[in-house]
Amino acid sequence: MGRSRIVMVVSGFPRRSETFALQELLALDGCGLLAAIFATKPGDGSSLHPDCHRILNKVQLLPAGSSVEQAEALVQRLDRKTVTGIHGYFAHTPAEVASHVSARIGIPYGFSAHALDLRKVPGEEMAARAGNAACVIACNPDAAADLSRRGAKVKLLPHGVDLDRFRPAPLTLCEPVRLLAVGRLVEKKGFHILIEAVRRLPFPFYLRIIGEGPERTRLAAAILEAGLSESVELCGGMTHTDLPGQYAKADIILVPSIQTGAGDRDGLPNVVLEAMASGRPIIGSDVGAIGSAVAQGETGMLLPPGDPSALAGALETLVRTPGLSMKFGKAARRLVERDFELGACTERFCRHLETVYV
């Protein structure tokens, strides 16, 4: 595909929760398009996903400061002879830094948008940033619609999932039913709603919640107050080394996301595609772009967000109807094979950036 010519500006890197970023950066590097990665702040310090080490030598941490100051620091480190484009991997600070670099040295810039990053930028500012960009990429339909409302010309390029790493395993649905939720412990994931929902279940279950974050203390207190210490476990964060086995041991995957009072919501979380690739039935909230993969009555069950009674009822329906779970799991695997296979998704991403910048 040619020499390395694209600089990527990311936020904190590496981050365990942002596997999608790692996968697309690895793909850019693999096809010879990645010149360097500049991070606007440090990573989260957690365990690294497999293959992350392959690109760590291309990561440079920018000094703390304003976006203009970070852009100037980036320019000073740049080999301008080989760089023909700069891409902000998120729509907030990385895109702002990329735009300043573009203005400073006269190369095109663009940016990708995901979820919260998009909502951190005021509408008029986002419209101007998109209007000056050589490309604007949305990774899910919710982000694409938001950008389109602001007048941006958007390319929808979904993230993919590794179908070899996440593979189906037999479903058992024996009691206690094994439930699994995966995600950062933040309000928008709706895990406090999940704890209230499972408290109402009339059958034995064991729920594992994988992830770390600021809501851990609140969730631990809710588990204790509900008398669920023997049935609900906060497991901490895990990488792709461990997650496939966790999906294989689970009967049902729960994605109880909500929109917060501040307007934050998920796009299409990693857990949805990983669970579907693992052939697991999903019960998810109809918020953000979750419904672009979890089709009600086809690949899972889609519920109103923030409703513990509806969530408990859907769980009981799946447990009492094992054939439905198997149907959902098989259909989910077929859908990700068709629409979200990692190699096909990252190839589209790389080819689009090559067309724009090289």
Side-chain angles (χ1 to χ4, degrees):
M1 273 181 154
R3 293 179 301 165
S4 301
R5 294 184 175 180
I6 302 172
V7 166
M8 301 294 288
V9 185
V10 298
S11 188
F13 188 86
R15 285 177 173 168
R16 185 164 51 198
S17 64
E18 294 174 357
T19 54
F20 52 88
L22 173 62
Q23 289 163 343
E24 291 184 341
L25 292 170
L26 285 168
L28 278 174
D29 188 52
C31 64
L33 287 172
L34 183 64
I37 302 167
F38 288 92
T40 61
K41 56 186 177 181
D44 61 11
S46 55
S47 302
L48 300 180
H49 285 294
D51 301 325
C52 189
H53 64 277
R54 287 167 38 196
I55 56 172
L56 288 180
N57 66 327
K58 292 195 172 182
V59 179
Q60 298 184 49
L61 177 63
L62 293 170
S66 70
S67 59
V68 172
E69 292 169 333
Q70 289 193 314
E72 185 58 33
L74 194 161
V75 168
Q76 296 305 316
R77 302 183 194 181
L78 212 54
D79 180 358
R80 302 188 201 180
K81 294 180 181 179
T82 62
V83 173
T84 56
I86 182 162
H87 192 82
Y89 194 76
F90 293 93
H92 58 318
T93 304
E96 188 174 5
V97 170
S99 71
H100 290 313
V101 173
S102 172
R104 174 79 162 72
I105 63 175
I107 61 172
Y109 83 94
F111 61 91
S112 298
H114 305 268
L116 179 60
D117 59 321
L118 181 58
R119 289 179 280 278
K120 286 184 174 181
V121 184
E124 289 187 6
E125 183 179 340
M126 179 58 69
R129 190 172 298 171
N132 293 323
C135 74
V136 179
I137 296 172
C139 70
N140 63 74
D142 187 50
D146 196 326
L147 284 162
S148 294
R149 285 191 293 270
R150 304 187 198 197
K153 185 178 180 181
V154 187
K155 181 75 171 179
L156 177 59
L157 294 173
H159 300 312
V161 61
D162 189 336
L163 299 180
D164 292 323
R165 175 167 283 140
F166 296 95
R167 304 187 62 84
L171 275 169
T172 59
L173 282 173
C174 297
E175 292 187 349
V177 178
R178 298 168 301 177
L179 309 176
L180 178 66
V182 181
R184 290 182 300 126
L185 305 187
V186 293
E187 184 184 1
K188 71 177 179 180
K189 295 299 180 181
F191 294 147
H192 57 295
I193 303 295
L194 176 56
I195 291 168
E196 174 58 28
V198 297
R199 186 181 66 82
R200 308 176 183 206
L201 295 179
F203 50 82
F205 68 90
Y206 191 77
L207 167 63
R208 293 169 63 81
I209 300 176
I210 295 174
E212 274 297 349
E215 289 277 291
R216 184 180 181 93
T217 299
R218 175 190 178 190
L219 295 174
I223 291 167
L224 187 63
E225 183 180 351
L228 294 174
S229 299
E230 301 298 316
S231 302
V232 180
E233 179 183 3
L234 297 176
C235 303
M238 296 186 187
T239 71
H240 275 179
T241 301
D242 302 306
L243 280 173
Q246 296 298 320
Y247 288 113
K249 291 188 291 186
D251 297 311
I252 300 169
I253 311 301
L254 300 153
V255 188
S257 301
I258 61 169
Q259 179 165 307
T260 70
D264 188 16
R265 61 182 183 271
D266 273 324
L268 180 57
N270 299 330
V271 58
V272 172
L273 298 183
E274 292 167 0
M276 293 174 73
S278 303
R280 265 36 199 170
I282 297 175
I283 300 175
S285 298
D286 189 8
V287 68
I290 293 173
S292 66
V294 182
Q296 169 60 26
E298 296 179 20
T299 59
M301 301 179 77
L302 206 59
L303 306 176
D307 188 338
S309 295
L311 183 51
L315 269 166
E316 188 167 3
T317 296
L318 275 188
V319 169
R320 305 302 186 207
T321 320
L324 195 57
S325 288
M326 294 175 186
K327 170 192 166 185
F328 289 163
K330 290 177 180 178
R333 175 71 187 194
R334 288 195 299 269
L335 187 142
V336 292
E337 288 175 346
R338 186 190 71 197
D339 295 341
F340 296 100
E341 191 275 319
L342 179 61
C345 290
T346 54
E347 182 179 3
R348 287 193 291 269
F349 177 78
C350 292
R351 289 195 181 280
H352 184 66
L353 292 194
E354 182 186 31
T355 299
V356 171
Y357 297 124
V358 179

